[in-house]
Amino acid sequence: MDVAVNSLVTIISSVISFREDLLLASNVKSWITDHNFTEIINLSFSFSKCCNVLLSDSTEDSEIFFDRFRTIYPYDYFLKRNTNEYEQECNGYLLLGSYDDEIMEFVRKIPSLLWNTEILIIVDNDISIDSNILDNSIYGIASVNIISMSDLDWDGIEMRLFLIMAEKLNFTWTIRKPEGNYTYGKRFNETYWIGGIIQMLIDQKRLLVYPSSSPFHPKVDIAFASIWVTLDQNRFVTLSIPWYDVYLHFLVPRPHRTSSFWALKKPFSKKIWCLLLSALLLHSLYTYVRSWIDSKFPKRYRNFLITFIDLIGYLLSSSVPRTVVPNRVQILLWQTVGWLIIAAYCSSLAARLSTWEYESRIDTFKQFIEANLSWGKSGQPPPFNDYFDLSNYRLMRESLGHFYASFAIQPRLLKPINKMILWLKETGIVIWHLRDVIRRRGNYNFREVFVERDRYDGSVQVLGLMPLGAGFSFLLVGFFIASLLLLIQLRID
């Protein structure tokens, strides 16, 4: 009996202690205000009638968030410490933690990630831009909202411009989340637009009732999130004058280093090689015919094969013939041309063999298609790390498209907003904020796509067998033919 009483006292003490902690936590301010936290809960769990709450650690902020959640969320919830105890019928998940690994462990064990699954992740810490939490592929088609301490600062190019407008035009503002599964929405027909921030500008009188049963009439006056001036969007909403031009480019694979078996032919183009071969054949034919017509011409040239081989030797300066009067000028000019060709070939060959060779760049749409690359939603998406490690990609020079970025606004705000945009553009404030945000927020790896890696970098490569393969092959063929002729000659003798 005494043991049971002691256990009961211990349990009661623990409950009182936990309640005191919650009361103490409710009086402490956290980095999310009460109003914002209420909006986050209402928008994140708009359909779920029950929620699984998972705490990875018992920090002060986590207890504050959990206490607020209890007072805001009107339905049942289940507090979990072990991810193996999920309530299968609950489609809502509130994940509270301070470290990426712990939260990712929770996410991986969620039994289903369907369209009706709603997940709210609150990270009581900063998260980096390459955190696995931001990998959208791991959430399937579930609705996911991620809140972290990194989100405390309103930042971004358009956000900075909007804050200047709010200050100069003297108005207060509240950020609203786009409705539906679309960011901008899409045109259903000529008179109706579905979802996104465009519909929120069109439907101002639509009544929304949140789970707390407190109806209100939301009104969206300004929308911005890289809204382009397109024909469809311009038909349904009023767009301001463009604040910036947007050029779209493909990120394409960088050219890889190559080593060709036929590297010895690269100093000259195909046209030059064809021209040399044609000149050699024509000169051989001319010499062969003349030897039959002119009696003073050397008789040995009446054999076309001997004539062809001799002219190759004269061209390469590997042999100097005893010229007679009829063909002296001819052979002299032929050898002079050979000296010039050999000098050009050797200098170009030395430069090419001592530096790295690369594949052809992809800079035009024709080259893009010939490379058999895919784009859009077709094909396998790149690995998540490739979005941040762009060392294998470069920017294709030819632009995919040219658009104008603007603000979508209510008609009554068109004149003051256009005036502000003109002022911001004329004074250079737009360009300044653009460069400032890119400098602070842009990952250093993103700048690598502008750097070309297939140019001469001053290094010299060590020659291998592959570039000289054709030369050694010709040498072996020559040895084989010479040996074969020697054997035939010995057998005849």
Side-chain angles (χ1 to χ4, degrees):
M1 183 68 179
D2 292 338
V3 174
V5 172
N6 291 334
S7 300
L8 180 61
V9 172
T10 303
I11 294 174
I12 294 174
S13 300
S14 301
V15 173
I16 294 175
S17 176
F18 179 67
R19 180 166 180 79
E20 288 177 351
D21 292 339
L22 290 179
L23 291 175
L24 180 62
S26 63
N27 296 325
V28 179
K29 294 183 178 181
S30 67
W31 49 275
I32 303 180
T33 64
D34 293 343
H35 174 73
N36 290 339
F37 191 80
T38 302
E39 290 291 323
I40 291 171
I41 297 299
N42 290 335
L43 294 174
S44 300
F45 302 110
S46 55
F47 302 105
S48 301
K49 301 303 180 182
C50 67
C51 183
N52 291 288
V53 182
L54 294 105
L55 300 176
S56 64
D57 48 19
S58 299
T59 61
E60 185 178 32
D61 280 329
S62 298
E63 295 177 357
I64 294 173
F65 294 145
F66 176 67
D67 184 45
R68 290 178 181 175
F69 173 79
R70 292 194 313 146
T71 58
I72 297 170
Y73 192 69
Y75 304 108
D76 294 335
Y77 64 90
F78 301 92
L79 179 61
K80 303 295 182 180
R81 295 283 183 177
N82 188 347
T83 55
N84 296 323
E85 300 175 357
Y86 282 128
E87 294 294 332
Q88 299 289 338
E89 297 180 357
C90 286
N91 296 324
Y93 295 89
L94 172 62
L95 311 182
L96 299 173
S98 303
Y99 302 100
D100 298 10
D101 296 340
E102 297 176 354
I103 294 179
M104 287 304 303
E105 189 66 24
F106 289 161
V107 173
R108 293 189 185 98
K109 294 185 179 181
I110 293 178
S112 62
L113 295 170
L114 304 176
W115 64 271
N116 59 347
T117 304
E118 296 179 315
I119 303 173
L120 172 60
I121 299 175
I122 299 180
V123 185
D124 189 22
N125 205 340
D126 292 331
I127 57 176
S128 60
I129 192 173
D130 57 349
S131 172
N132 290 329
I133 293 180
L134 303 179
D135 185 0
N136 188 53
S137 62
I138 65 176
Y139 301 106
I141 59 174
S143 175
V144 183
N145 290 320
I146 301 173
I147 311 295
S148 72
M149 297 183 70
S150 305
D151 300 325
L152 291 177
D153 186 21
W154 295 105
D155 203 358
I157 300 168
E158 290 179 290
M159 190 68 204
R160 290 295 181 182
L161 300 180
F162 172 75
L163 292 176
I164 295 176
M165 295 178 187
E167 179 183 359
K168 299 300 180 182
L169 297 178
N170 194 24
F171 63 81
T172 58
W173 51 272
T174 300
I175 294 290
R176 289 193 52 79
K177 179 183 177 182
E179 300 174 353
N181 296 325
Y182 301 99
T183 302
Y184 308 103
K186 65 176 182 178
R187 180 175 65 88
F188 182 74
N189 53 36
E190 294 296 330
T191 59
Y192 189 69
W193 187 279
I194 301 177
I197 57 181
I198 303 299
Q199 185 183 12
M200 296 177 69
L201 281 163
I202 300 172
D203 297 337
Q204 295 189 31
K205 297 182 179 181
R206 182 181 177 185
L207 181 63
L208 293 182
V209 181
Y210 282 103
S212 58
S213 301
S214 59
F216 67 98
H217 299 271
K219 184 176 181 180
V220 177
D221 297 303
I222 301 178
F224 58 91
S226 189
I227 299 177
W228 296 342
V229 180
T230 61
L231 180 61
D232 286 343
Q233 294 179 165
N234 193 48
R235 284 179 178 176
F236 286 88
V237 294
T238 303
L239 299 175
S240 68
I241 61 174
W243 64 270
Y244 197 70
D245 295 4
V246 178
Y247 293 88
L248 300 183
H249 293 261
F250 278 128
L251 285 181
V252 295
R254 290 187 180 276
H256 296 290
R257 290 178 175 177
T258 60
S259 182
S260 174
F261 179 82
W262 299 102
L264 295 180
K265 70 179 183 64
K266 287 188 176 181
F268 292 156
S269 64
K270 292 182 179 179
K271 293 182 178 180
I272 299 297
W273 286 115
C274 291
L275 182 61
L276 288 174
L277 182 60
S278 301
L280 183 61
L281 291 175
L282 289 175
H283 195 183
S284 301
L285 182 62
Y286 165 78
T287 305
Y288 172 75
V289 173
R290 187 176 176 181
S291 66
W292 285 95
I293 298 175
D294 191 350
S295 60
K296 296 181 181 181
F297 213 78
K299 298 295 188 290
R300 64 190 310 269
Y301 293 132
R302 292 184 179 182
N303 187 321
F304 184 82
L305 181 59
I306 293 177
T307 302
F308 185 77
I309 295 175
D310 283 351
L311 289 180
I312 292 177
Y314 303 158
L315 182 67
L316 300 178
S317 299
S318 61
S319 64
V320 179
R322 294 180 180 180
T323 58
V324 295
V325 175
N327 67 337
R328 182 175 298 170
V329 177
Q330 172 188 343
I331 297 301
L332 178 62
L333 293 176
W334 184 250
Q335 285 187 315
T336 303
V337 173
W339 295 335
L340 296 176
I341 293 175
I342 290 173
Y345 177 83
C346 292
S347 59
S348 178
L349 181 64
R352 288 178 176 273
L353 293 182
S354 61
T355 57
W356 292 104
E357 289 288 334
Y358 290 87
E359 299 173 342
S360 299
R361 292 181 183 175
I362 301 175
D363 279 326
T364 63
F365 283 105
K366 182 180 179 180
Q367 295 171 340
F368 187 92
I369 295 174
E370 290 175 351
N372 197 26
L373 298 177
S374 60
W375 66 94
K377 295 183 179 180
S378 61
Q380 183 69 23
F384 181 65
N385 293 332
D386 279 10
Y387 289 101
F388 305 97
D389 183 11
L390 300 176
S391 58
N392 296 324
Y393 298 92
R394 57 178 292 272
L395 198 69
M396 191 176 80
R397 300 207 173 192
E398 188 172 349
S399 174
L400 171 65
H402 179 202
F403 299 92
Y404 297 95
S406 64
F407 288 80
I409 54 179
Q410 297 296 342
R412 70 179 190 279
L413 299 175
L414 180 62
K415 185 176 180 180
I417 294 298
N418 281 347
K419 183 178 180 181
M420 285 296 305
I421 292 177
L422 285 174
W423 176 70
L424 292 171
K425 292 173 65 176
E426 291 173 359
T427 55
I429 296 178
V430 171
I431 299 299
W432 188 90
H433 279 292
L434 179 68
R435 294 175 178 175
D436 179 64
V437 172
I438 292 175
R439 176 183 59 82
R440 292 184 291 102
R441 295 290 188 177
N443 193 303
Y444 180 79
N445 291 326
F446 293 162
R447 307 175 190 179
E448 292 293 312
V449 298
F450 298 98
V451 181
E452 301 294 352
R453 302 293 186 188
D454 55 340
R455 295 176 178 173
Y456 178 64
D457 57 359
S459 62
V460 179
Q461 70 161 334
V462 179
L463 283 179
L465 182 61
M466 180 63 72
L468 303 177
F472 283 108
S473 299
F474 282 125
L475 181 62
L476 293 176
V477 171
F479 282 155
F480 175 77
I481 295 176
S483 301
L484 184 62
L485 293 176
L486 178 61
L487 291 176
I488 294 174
Q489 187 67 31
L490 292 175
R491 180 169 293 185
I492 293 175
D493 294 342

